[in-house]
Amino acid sequence: MDFSSKLLENAVHEMSQLPGIGKRTALRLVLHLLKQPNGQTMRLASALEDLRNSVKFCSRCHNISDVEVCEICSNPKRDDQVVCVVEDIRDVMAIENTGQYNGLYHVLGGKISPMEGVGPQELTISSLVKKAKEGDIKELIFALSSTMEGDTTNFYIYKQLEGLDIKTSTIARGISIGDELEYADEVTLGRSILNRIPFENSLKTN
Amino acid sequence: MDFSSKLLENAVHEMSQLPGIGKRTALRLVLHLLKQPNGQTMRLASALEDLRNSVKFCSRCHNISDVEVCEICSNPKRDDQVVCVVEDIRDVMAIENTGQYNGLYHVLGGKISPMEGVGPQELTISSLVKKAKEGDIKELIFALSSTMEGDTTNFYIYKQLEGLDIKTSTIARGISIGDELEYADEVTLGRSILNRIPFENSLKTN
């Protein structure tokens, strides 16, 4: 692409560094900003700068937070003996939205992935193991996505906790509520039969 | 969505103001920026600020430009008696990429659209009419998209130029090169038959 303006070219180039945004989309977004009042661009730029400069992570669960200890970790009504291990803040938000969980979280910041150069030391695993060894946690719930990376990460943490008196569980995998059996993939359907639950239990939820 | 951080919420909110970017995508983009080195966010923010603060438009064709008169308008090798009327910079870039056009451009900045509150005075039509009346232009090529808004804009400009000795033309509409006739829409196919050209002419292009 040949641009008539270096400033425009630079803005488009930086915008197109974002994932899933190509040069054409970036140009469309930048031209949109140019058509809007000045303030919109300034607010976007300063919101990004402020976040990057002042972002903090909760010292206990490593979730993004504006304060030293996040609202969830500092809430005395929550059960601090149950910890749900998740990949990032989006998982925390998703589980919080269900209203079904009253424990704490531990945000790993990713999954072990040798292909992408992410090893255990890039994640917050040692902080989780330390918390576990200090003896506060009774149950650890693994809620990573069930990909190879997720399973590897679960197993790595599981091994680190060997010998400790901590119950570990993973969230249930099965057929989504409302889904038709005929369209379900075999692995999920197979697991949902193996891990079937007493019918009475299915009446209890909600 | 409930965010654990006001800074994050603010960045996601501003990002989601961009067209085609919802809250979830905005969150994904912002979290991506947080995982990258500090510099990437800063470069994006300052590129947007710089563009917004220092953007200039060519005083002749109204295209985005870093200088008073853009490269195309100031190029003595180009034919300044032919002016192609386009909607925005993307159309200029598209036509320049063909390498088939040696005239100048006039960037309207949009199309007349009462539905979106865009009237002739929001566009650079009066500047185009002034240029035409000063007697420099021999041919005006309309290259707006053939929507209702595009046709209205073409006709509005055409009416303003009545009585002047200026040839007006529109770019050819027809079946795209390589397209199958059976899949073409009727209007396009109909127009391409009505506006058929001598066979010898089709041999000349490239």
Side-chain angles (χ1 to χ4, degrees):
Chain A
M1 275 197 199
D2 276 347
F3 290 92
S4 58
S5 153
K6 273 275 162 216
L7 289 168
L8 179 67
E9 184 172 0
N10 196 20
V12 170
H13 172 76
E14 290 300 335
M15 195 65 108
S16 68
Q17 301 298 305
L18 293 171
I21 302 210
K23 285 261 175 188
R24 271 167 195 268
T25 309
L27 178 58
R28 190 168 58 87
L29 296 178
V30 169
L31 290 179
H32 170 86
L33 280 175
L34 276 182
K35 279 197 177 180
Q36 302 307 114
N38 221 350
Q40 186 174 336
T41 312
M42 298 304 147
R43 283 196 304 275
L44 172 61
S46 65
L48 291 177
E49 282 174 340
D50 289 351
L51 175 67
R52 203 64 183 85
N53 287 329
S54 317
V55 68
K56 281 195 203 75
F57 296 91
C58 170
S59 61
R60 292 195 200 163
C61 72
H62 304 281
N63 195 5
I64 297 171
S65 165
D66 292 342
V67 283
E68 171 74 13
V69 176
C70 76
E71 272 181 45
I72 295 177
C73 287
S74 59
N75 185 343
K77 287 188 185 151
R78 297 190 75 124
D79 183 354
D80 60 0
Q81 300 192 309
V82 183
V83 171
C84 182
V85 179
V86 294
E87 193 183 331
D88 71 15
I89 185 172
R90 282 172 289 185
D91 306 319
V92 174
M93 290 164 70
I95 296 177
E96 282 299 288
N97 271 340
T98 67
Q100 298 284 339
Y101 181 64
N102 193 39
L104 305 184
Y105 296 92
H106 187 90
V107 178
L108 290 180
K111 287 174 290 191
I112 297 175
S113 168
M115 294 286 284
E116 290 171 29
V118 182
Q121 56 292 339
E122 265 82 44
L123 310 176
T124 62
I125 292 179
S126 60
S127 141
L128 175 64
V129 173
K130 187 162 163 268
K131 251 196 285 189
K133 286 193 175 153
E134 282 164 4
D136 287 346
I137 306 174
K138 282 211 172 137
E139 183 176 354
L140 212 62
I141 305 172
F142 292 119
L144 303 180
S145 55
S146 60
T147 55
M148 184 139 81
E149 287 83 9
D151 290 346
T152 307
T153 312
N154 288 343
F155 192 69
Y156 182 88
I157 298 173
Y158 178 77
K159 279 299 209 183
Q160 299 278 309
L161 302 177
E162 259 184 355
L164 296 175
D165 182 25
I166 292 177
K167 199 174 130 189
T168 49
S169 58
T170 75
I171 56 169
R173 309 287 175 182
I175 307 296
S176 292
I177 309 241
D179 264 13
E180 307 274 359
L181 284 206
E182 54 179 325
Y183 300 121
D185 69 288
E186 296 145 34
V187 182
T188 305
L189 186 54
R191 277 224 218 172
S192 79
I193 290 175
L194 280 177
N195 302 324
R196 63 193 175 278
I197 57 163
F199 181 66
E200 300 82 42
N201 289 11
S202 75
L203 302 174
K204 274 183 229 159
T205 42
N206 278 323
Chain B
M1 276 197 201
D2 276 347
F3 290 93
S4 57
S5 152
K6 274 275 161 217
L7 289 168
L8 179 67
E9 184 171 3
N10 195 20
V12 170
H13 172 77
E14 291 301 334
M15 195 65 109
S16 68
Q17 302 298 303
L18 294 171
I21 301 212
K23 284 262 177 187
R24 269 166 196 270
T25 309
L27 178 59
R28 190 167 58 87
L29 296 179
V30 169
L31 290 180
H32 171 85
L33 281 175
L34 276 182
K35 279 197 178 181
Q36 303 307 113
N38 220 351
Q40 186 173 339
T41 313
M42 297 305 147
R43 283 197 303 275
L44 172 61
S46 66
L48 292 177
E49 281 174 341
D50 289 351
L51 175 67
R52 203 65 183 86
N53 285 330
S54 317
V55 69
K56 280 196 205 74
F57 296 91
C58 170
S59 62
R60 293 196 199 162
C61 71
H62 304 281
N63 196 4
I64 297 172
S65 164
D66 292 341
V67 283
E68 171 73 12
V69 176
C70 77
E71 272 180 45
I72 296 176
C73 287
S74 59
N75 185 345
K77 288 189 184 152
R78 297 190 75 123
D79 182 355
D80 62 359
Q81 300 191 310
V82 183
V83 171
C84 182
V85 179
V86 294
E87 192 184 332
D88 71 16
I89 185 173
R90 281 171 289 185
D91 305 320
V92 174
M93 289 164 72
I95 297 177
E96 283 298 289
N97 271 340
T98 68
Q100 298 285 338
Y101 181 65
N102 193 38
L104 305 184
Y105 295 92
H106 187 91
V107 178
L108 289 179
K111 289 174 289 192
I112 296 175
S113 169
M115 294 286 284
E116 289 171 29
V118 182
Q121 55 292 338
E122 265 82 43
L123 309 176
T124 62
I125 293 179
S126 61
S127 141
L128 174 64
V129 173
K130 188 163 163 267
K131 251 196 286 190
K133 286 193 174 148
E134 284 164 3
D136 288 345
I137 305 175
K138 282 209 171 139
E139 182 176 355
L140 212 61
I141 305 170
F142 292 119
L144 302 180
S145 54
S146 60
T147 55
M148 184 138 82
E149 286 84 7
D151 291 345
T152 308
T153 312
N154 287 342
F155 193 70
Y156 181 89
I157 297 172
Y158 179 77
K159 280 301 211 182
Q160 299 278 309
L161 301 178
E162 259 182 354
L164 296 175
D165 181 26
I166 292 177
K167 199 174 130 191
T168 48
S169 57
T170 74
I171 55 169
R173 310 286 175 182
I175 308 296
S176 292
I177 309 241
D179 263 13
E180 307 274 0
L181 284 206
E182 54 178 326
Y183 301 121
D185 69 288
E186 297 146 32
V187 182
T188 304
L189 186 53
R191 277 225 218 171
S192 78
I193 289 174
L194 282 176
N195 302 324
R196 62 193 176 280
I197 57 164
F199 181 66
E200 300 81 43
N201 289 10
S202 73
L203 301 175
K204 276 184 227 157
T205 43
N206 277 323

